[in-house]
Amino acid sequence: MFNPVNSRVSFPQLEENILTWWKENNVFQRSVIARKGGPRFVLYDGPPTLNGRPALHHVFMSVFKDALPRYKAMNGFYAPRIGGWDTHGLPVELEIEKQLGISSKTQIEEYGVDRFNELCRKSVYGYMKEFEEVLERCGYWVDLDNPYITLKNEYIETCWWAIKKMWDKGLVYQGYRVTPHCPRCGTSLSSHEIAQGYKDTEDPSVYIKFKLSDKTAANLPADKPLYFLAWTTTPWTLPGNTALAVSPEDEYVLLQGENDYLIMAANLTGAVGLDDYKEEKKLEGKELVGLEYQPLFNPHEFDVELLKFQEDGSLLAQEIDNNLTYRVISGDFVTMDDGTGIVHIAPAFGEDDYEAGKEWGLDFVQPVDLQGNITGTYPFAGKFVKDADADVIADLKSRGLLLRSETIKHTYPFCWRCETPLLYYSKATWYIRTTALKDRLLSGNEEVNWYPEHIKYGRFGDWLQNNIDWAFSRERYWGTPLPVWHCESCGEFECVGGRGELEKKEGFSGFKEPLDLHRPYVDEVTFKCSKCGGQMRRVSEVIDCWFDSGAMPVAQEHYPFENETLLEDGRFPADFICEAVDQTRGWFYSLHAISTLLFSRPCFKNVICLGHILDPKGEKMSKRKGNVVWPMEVMKKYGADALRWYLYTASAPGNPRQFDEKQVNEVSRRFLSTLWNVYSFFVMYANIDDYKPSGNSPAPEADLDKWVHSELNQLISDVRSSMDNYNPTEAGRKIEMFVDGLSNWYVRRSRRRFWKSENDDDKLSAYNTLYHCLVTLSKLLAPLTPFVAEELYRNLVVSASPDAPESVHLADFPQSDESAIDRQLSEDNRLAMKICSLGRAARSRVGIKIRQPLAEIHVGIASEHEKLALDRVAPLVMEELNVKELMCDSAEKVAGMEGKEYSAVSETGNSVAVSTYITAELEAEGMAREIVHRVQNMRRSAGYDIADHIYLYYEADAWIMQSLSSFADYVMQETLTREIIEEVPDGVDLQETYKISGYTILLGVKKAK
Ligand SMILES: [Zn+2]
Ligand SMILES: [Zn+2]
C-alpha cells in the first residue's frame, strides 16, 4: 500500500514536513558525504550583503545555485557547498548612521569608531537569521552552519595576505588622482560602483565668457573686450578653473557683437544661437593655444591654496601673483559634439582635467572640501556644491561674464547607496594595478563558459577591455583595514600580510584580547620603521568590500594559513557560480581580478548570469516605491516548488523578468497540480488493485505504454543535456511538456485500463508504466522542485522497497535507455494529439460537446508519410473525438468543407472537419453518455468507492427511456450498475434531478450489497 494521497494537497504544508524530515535525518549532509570519493563539483556561493532583508532576487539566485549541485550530486559528484555572508562596507555603515540619526564622518568619530563598528557587527548578525530562514525555506542546500563570514579575523587575514602578495609584485600603489567621490559618504567609489548609479537629472547649462588678458595676440582686435566662450553643466567647478582647452585641428571663429568679441568653434555657433554676433574671421584651433585669459576667480582673493603641477606629476604650493593669468591649451578630448568647442579645465575635478594639468604643468585650485562644500571666502563659501551653482551663476552674471544660462537634462553619476551626486575629485587613493594584467584578465575570460553566452564578450568582456586600475581604498570604518603602515618620520610605507608577520615586527605593540582586526583596534598597532626606526602607524583606510567577496575562494578557507593544499586538491577553481547580471562589474569582476592577480588564472569555469527581477509593471523593486515582494510570503502562500518552477521556467535566466505573484499561482496550477493529479490518480487505483511494483519493470505491451516509455527516455536524455549545459530552464520546460502529455494523453487515454480492464496483463502494463514514469519524474525533478520530488519518491519507492535510498536526493539521476526511444511512435502520437486538439476545437466552434457522438471526421494531412501515421492512429483518434468514421484527404480540401454540415479548423499543415448533422440514433447515444456522466458524479457525491457496484433508478419521459434502454449495456458497464430500474423509490442513497438538452430526468443511486 502506498500512503493515500490527498488530491487537494497544500504544497506549503507538505514542504514544511519535508524540511523537517530533511533536517532530522541530515539528508543534505548525507547527500554530500555519500558521494565522497567521486569527482569534485565546486560551487562558490556569492555572499549576500547583510544590510537588508532577503529579497526575491536572493531566492532567484539561490534556486539556480541549488539546482546544479543537486544534479551533479545525483550523478556521483562530491559537492560540498559552503554558504557565505558579506558583512562589510558602506551599506552597513549607512544603516547604522540612520539608526543613530547621524550623517557625517565627524559624528561617527565623536560617537566612537569602536561603538560604531560594534553596531555594524550586530546589525549584520541580525539579518543573518532571516536570510538563513529564507534560504532554507526555498530549499537551497548550502552549509550555513559553517559559513564563511567576511568580518572574521581569519577572513581578514587572508585578505591581508592577498594584498601583501599584490604589493610584493608592485601591483598596489597610492595615486593622487581624480576619483569619483561621494561627498556624503566621504569616500571614493570604484568604477564598478559608479556604473550602478547613473541617473537622469536636471543641471544648469551655462555659457561663460573668459576674458582675454590685456597683453594679447597681434592677430586679434583690441577695440572691444574679447572673450573665449566655454560651456559647463557644473558651474560649481568654475572657481577651480585654471585653463581652457581647444581642439587644435578644428576650426574656430571670431565673432563680433555690439560690445565685445567672442571666440568659439565654427561648427557650433548655430547650436549656441548667437544672432547678435557676426562672423569676423576663421581661426585654427592651434592658433589659440598659448593665449592667456583672466581667471574667473583669482584664488588669492578668495583665500584658497594654489598648487602647481611639477614635471614629475606631483603638486607643489605656489605663491599667488596678483596678475595671475591662465592659458589656452590643446586637448584631444575636446569634441565638436556639444558645447562651444572650448572646454573649461579644473584639474581638481575630472579625469581629463587632471591629466591635462599634469601634461601642461597647470595651476591647481581646490575650492571644495571632501564633504562637497565650497571652502575659502567665495560669496557662496560653505554651501554644498550643487547648491552653490545658482550663486556662481549670479555672481558671473553680475560681472558680465555670463552669456546665457539654461537647464539641461542629462545622465550624471550618483552614489549608488545614498544617491548623492558624485564629484570627480582629485585626492590620494590606493589602487590595485589591474591594468598590468589586462591581457591575462582577457585570456582568462576565454576559459570561462558564460550562460547566456553574450555576456562573455559583451558586458563582461567590454568591462575587461576597458579595464582601469582598481581604486580599492575607502576612507571609512567598517571594513577590512588596509594593511599598510606608514612611517611618521621618513614616509616609508610597509604592507603587512598577516597577523603573525605583524607581531614579529620590531617594536610591535598593540593587539589586545580578544583579538579584533577591525578599526579602531588595528589603528593602535605600531612598530618601528625598518628604514629609520621611526614609528609606523597604519594608514586610515579600509578596503572596498568587493575585495572581500572577490577573495572568497581563498579567504573562506583561511588560505594559506590553513588548507595549504587548497589550490591542488580540487577545491579551486569553482565549476560553477551564479549571480545577477550587475555582478559583471561587481563580484564576477572582483573574483576574476583577484584570482588573476594572485594566481594568474581564472577561479570559475561556468557562470549563470541572471537578469534582474522587476515588478509587474517592469519597474525596479525598491522599498521606497513599496513594490518589493517578500519571498517568504510567496512561499508561504504557494510553496517553494511553485516559486522555484516559475523562476526556472518562466523566461530564460538571463532576461529581466517582471515578477507577478499571479504567475506563481498559475505555474502551481498548471504544472504542479497536473503532476499531483496524475500522482494521486495512480496511488488511488494502485491501492484499490493492491498493485506492487516489481523490481525490474516488464517490457511495455500496449502502444500507448511503448509511446510514453519512448517519450520518457527522450526526456531523460534531453534533461541531462540541458543540465549539463547549465540550462535548468530548458530542462524544466521539457519536463513540463512531458507531464502535460502524461496527464492529457497517457492517463486520459489509459484511464479505463486502470479501473476496469478485463485484461490483467494490460492493466499491469499500465500500472508498471505509470509507476515507472512517476518515479523517474521524481528523480528528474529532484534538482528543480526538491520537495514534491521527495514526496513522490518516498511514497512510491521507499514505502515499497525499503532497500532503496531513503531520499530522492540520495538516489542516482536516471539514465536514458536509447533503445526505448521510438521516433515513429512519437511522431504518430504527436499527430494524434494534434488532430484531437483540432477536432475538439472544431466541435467547440459549433457548441457540440465531446459526449455527443458524431458520424464522421475528415482529416486533412500534408504528406503520404502522415497518411501512414494517421492510419495507425485512426482508432485512437476516433475514440478520443467520439466519431464513428474517419476519412483522410488533403489539408486544403478538408479546410474547404467548412459550411452547413461541417465544422472545420486548420493549423500548420493539418485540418479537421467534423460532421455536425446529428441523427436520432447519435442523439440517443449522446444522451446515454450524458447520463453516465451524471451517474459518475453522483457516485462521487455519495462517497462510493471506485469499485462499488450500484443500482440505478430513474424517472423520465419516453424518449429518454428509449435512449437508456438502447444503450443499457453501455451505461451499466461504465457506471458499475447491476440493474437499471424505472422509478426512484424512497431509501436510495442519493437522488438528483437533471436537465439535459431540454429534457428533465430524475436519477437515484443505491450501493449494491
Ligand atoms: Zn554616498
Ligand atoms: Zn622611517
Side-chain angles (χ1 to χ4, degrees), residues 41 59 406 435 565 869:
F41 182 78
V59 171
E406 299 155 354
T435 50
T565 60

Side-chain angles (χ1 to χ4, degrees), residues 18 21-22 27 786-794 807-809:
I18 288 172
W21 184 78
W22 280 347
V27 183
F787 299 98
V788 72
E790 189 76 300
E791 158 68 21
L792 261 62
Y793 175 87
R794 285 187 48 75
S807 158
V808 72
H809 305 288

Side-chain angles (χ1 to χ4, degrees), residues 70 121 282 305 369 412 454 470 517 540 648 705 720 729 746 753 788 822 874 905 943 949 974:
R70 281 187 190 264
R121 181 188 293 268
K282 292 262 178 15
E305 203 181 15
D369 67 16
Y412 190 84
H454 63 81
W470 182 352
L517 295 184
S540 63
Y648 292 131
D705 297 345
R720 278 190 164 275
T729 300
Y746 181 77
R753 298 168 66 200
V788 72
D822 182 335
V905 169
H949 284 253
E974 293 293 313

Side-chain angles (χ1 to χ4, degrees), residues 751-815:
R751 203 172 273 273
R752 346 173 34 92
R753 298 168 66 200
F754 288 96
W755 64 279
K756 53 192 281 196
S757 176
E758 284 81 36
N759 174 347
D760 278 351
D761 284 347
D762 182 61
K763 190 176 208 171
L764 189 60
S765 178
Y767 271 120
N768 282 334
T769 302
L770 189 52
Y771 178 77
H772 181 61
C773 286
L774 286 167
V775 170
T776 307
L777 270 176
S778 76
K779 294 174 188 169
L780 293 176
L781 281 169
L784 303 175
T785 51
F787 299 98
V788 72
E790 189 76 300
E791 158 68 21
L792 261 62
Y793 175 87
R794 285 187 48 75
N795 194 19
L796 297 175
V797 178
V798 181
S799 67
S801 30
D803 295 342
E806 239 189 309
S807 158
V808 72
H809 305 288
L810 297 167
D812 289 340
F813 206 75
Q815 298 283 355

Side-chain angles (χ1 to χ4, degrees), residues 487 490 529 531-532:
C487 175
C490 74
C529 172
K531 279 262 164 70
C532 75

Side-chain angles (χ1 to χ4, degrees), residues 486-492 528-536:
H486 181 232
C487 175
E488 289 174 338
S489 313
C490 74
E492 175 75 0
K528 262 191 188 165
C529 172
S530 59
K531 279 262 164 70
C532 75
Q535 196 171 52
M536 300 290 277

